[in-house]
Amino acid sequence: MKKILSLFLLVWLVAFSLLYVTKTIESSEGYGGDNTVTIYNWGDYIDPALIKKFEKETGLKVIYQTFDSNEAMMTKIAQGGTTFDVAVPSEYAISKMKEEGLLLPIDHAKIPNLRYIDERFLNLSFDPGNRYSIPYFWGTVGIVYNPALLGGKEITSWNDLWDPSFKNEILLVDGAREIIGMALNSLHYSLNDTNKTHLQQAKQKLDALTPNVKAIVGDEIKMLLANEEAAIGIVWSGDAAEIMWENERLDYVIPEEGTNLWFDNMVIPKTAKNIDGAHQFINFMLDPENAAQNAEYVGYSTPNKKALEYLPKEIVEDERFYPSEQLANKLEVYENLGKSMLAYYNELFLQFKMHRK
């Protein structure tokens, strides 16, 4: 009997230990519950102090995980097994996630702070009525450059990049939509163009840019530009703000031909376990003071109209990051091109990268 009891106790201890380990792993891997809210966001894309503030105000614990691309984020959510309560995809990814049934509708009655969002950023083509998404940040794709390294030359246009004097001075961000879009815009085509003749023209123009391209890089582009290892970079506006904070000799321009107007929005994935907590978190981030604090920390533009009152005047009046209406009319949101056309963009971009070698 003693042996049986000892064996039973051993089995119970092993089972309890396994349960504890499983719960710990689940917590770290994005498995939540009523007392937690699991957030899936881009790296360094929220003020950590706001997470602590949310936890203190609500009593909920935040589990925070990051991704480095929309594609990686969508794949993980589509595979299931993880229970992210809030994710922060870009606009074209939201369109795709809706098509694939990966999102839950948002109850606007639980998001009273939605009233503070600028109407210009609501009811857009990728999510009419904002049924599935709430604006988080917005920005542009543009050019960071160092006039001191360019003999005082000023850049105002995409076409300026083909200046022969800029040989080996340009860093490109490693993104097909951004770089193919840049070439399309330089030809005065839409960056959502699906005309293959136009796309081939854009590819040929990119090939002609090759002598000026020093490298095609990822996040390290910020450090390289700040350290003046290249004079010009194609970057997102928030990265530009960070680079310029590190090195005041740099400037940022939205090209006169137009460029991408992008949005990152908060959504509730279909695997969410704490839907009420997700709504609480979204509403918390839309509080004007919280939104202003977050915008100042991250460096991207806030869609929260009321939050602008809490930001320094020099930020909200800087047309490089809050462009005038005239310039804003030249900006385009990425559309969901569909798998086939997106694959074609990726193939052209790969061909361009191979051409450089």
Side-chain angles (χ1 to χ4, degrees), residues 10 29 33 61 75 108 130 156 170 179 220 237 275 291 317 319 333 339 347:
L10 179 61
E29 289 295 321
K61 176 177 173 52
T75 297
H108 288 192
N130 291 89
T156 60
I170 300 175
I179 303 308
E220 63 270 29
S237 53
I275 296 173
E317 292 184 353
E319 290 194 355
V333 175
K339 288 183 179 180
E347 176 61 27

Side-chain angles (χ1 to χ4, degrees), residues 143-158:
I143 304 168
V144 163
Y145 70 103
N146 191 325
L149 299 181
L150 298 176
K153 284 189 175 182
E154 183 181 1
I155 294 176
T156 60
S157 161
W158 287 123

Side-chain angles (χ1 to χ4, degrees), residues 47-296:
D47 185 345
L50 288 172
I51 293 178
K52 292 180 180 179
K53 182 180 178 181
F54 175 78
E55 290 179 327
K56 185 176 180 181
E57 288 186 6
T58 64
L60 297 170
K61 176 177 173 52
V62 172
I63 300 169
Y64 191 84
Q65 292 195 49
T66 62
F67 55 85
D68 57 12
S69 74
N70 281 292
E71 288 68 29
M73 175 272 303
M74 287 189 287
T75 297
K76 193 160 188 177
I77 290 175
Q79 287 174 342
T82 54
T83 57
F84 300 114
D85 298 308
V86 177
V88 188
S90 302
E91 70 291 323
Y92 74 91
I94 293 169
S95 178
K96 187 174 181 181
M97 293 173 82
K98 283 168 52 184
E99 288 180 1
E100 297 181 5
L102 298 179
L103 302 177
L104 296 177
I106 293 174
D107 184 352
H108 288 192
K110 295 182 178 179
I111 315 288
N113 288 335
L114 184 61
R115 67 186 186 274
Y116 297 122
I117 298 296
D118 191 321
E119 290 184 1
R120 293 181 300 160
F121 305 128
L122 296 172
N123 197 34
L124 298 175
S125 60
F126 61 87
D127 185 21
N130 291 89
R131 189 180 178 202
Y132 295 96
S133 66
I134 303 295
Y136 183 66
F137 279 125
W138 67 277
T140 57
V141 175
I143 304 168
V144 163
Y145 70 103
N146 191 325
L149 299 181
L150 298 176
K153 284 189 175 182
E154 183 181 1
I155 294 176
T156 60
S157 161
W158 287 123
N159 282 293
D160 289 340
L161 300 180
W162 277 261
D163 186 329
S165 68
F166 295 165
K167 185 176 180 179
N168 204 39
E169 286 289 0
I170 300 175
L171 297 176
L172 300 180
V173 67
D174 191 6
R177 291 299 299 267
E178 287 74 24
I179 303 308
I180 298 294
M182 171 192 79
L184 287 167
N185 277 161
S186 75
L187 294 165
H188 302 284
Y189 296 142
S190 165
L191 49 72
N192 294 303
D193 204 324
T194 57
N195 182 312
K196 290 191 175 181
T197 299
H198 294 172
L199 288 165
Q200 284 294 333
Q201 291 173 3
K203 161 63 169 55
Q204 291 168 12
K205 189 162 185 181
L206 281 177
D207 289 345
L209 184 66
T210 296
N212 290 1
V213 177
K214 184 171 187 175
I216 300 174
V217 293
D219 284 342
E220 63 270 29
I221 195 169
K222 294 184 286 187
M223 177 189 69
L224 293 171
L225 289 167
N227 291 341
E228 300 190 348
E229 295 186 41
I232 303 168
I234 310 306
V235 298
W236 293 280
S237 53
D239 287 348
E242 185 177 338
I243 296 164
M244 291 159 60
W245 186 85
E246 293 285 345
N247 186 335
E248 294 181 354
R249 284 162 39 112
L250 294 162
D251 198 2
Y252 177 71
V253 62
I254 299 173
E256 60 190 22
E257 299 95 339
T259 187
N260 169 233
L261 171 66
W262 57 260
F263 294 90
D264 287 336
N265 283 23
M266 294 177 282
V267 302
I268 302 177
K270 69 172 185 179
T271 54
K273 277 191 175 178
N274 191 350
I275 296 173
D276 283 339
H279 282 86
Q280 288 184 65
F281 183 83
I282 292 171
N283 193 58
F284 172 85
M285 295 306 298
L286 265 56
D287 175 87
E289 292 189 47
N290 293 339
Q293 179 178 330
N294 204 32
E296 196 161 5

